[in-house]
Amino acid sequence: ELPSTDRLPWVEPGLEPALWSLTEHQRVAVVLCHGFQWTHQEVAELLELSRSTVQNHVERGLAHLRRALEVDTDD
């Protein structure tokens, strides 16, 4: 279970439900890689997956979060 965002300084209000809408592997991969700076290899070893599979989970998870949070990545 993720910690509540109520105690954090400021977090996008839609982030928590968006994270919960990811698959478990996507959520774990995104949080560990982007929240805790783990490498794809470290997450792969934890989840007993290949590094490329973790990379796919991160990429798909981030794409889903961008859509859910309506983040425009076009410059």
Side-chain angles (χ1 to χ4, degrees):
E1 180 175 327
L2 295 174
S4 173
T5 56
D6 294 340
R7 294 180 297 244
L8 298 175
W10 185 85
V11 174
E12 166 60 45
L15 180 59
E16 186 174 8
L19 280 169
W20 282 111
S21 71
L22 300 177
T23 67
E24 183 176 359
H25 279 153
Q26 288 174 348
R27 185 171 49 255
V28 169
V30 167
V31 169
L32 290 179
C33 289
H34 287 274
F36 293 98
Q37 303 302 304
W38 283 33
T39 66
H40 290 171
Q41 186 59 45
E42 290 169 327
V43 176
E45 291 170 11
L46 174 73
L47 298 177
E48 297 180 345
L49 300 170
S50 70
R51 190 206 53 76
S52 62
T53 298
V54 170
Q55 182 176 342
N56 287 334
H57 285 315
V58 169
E59 289 172 359
R60 290 176 184 154
L62 289 176
H64 179 87
L65 291 175
R66 287 184 191 106
R67 284 190 306 275
L69 299 172
E70 298 178 353
V71 174
D72 183 11
T73 58
D74 295 331
D75 290 319

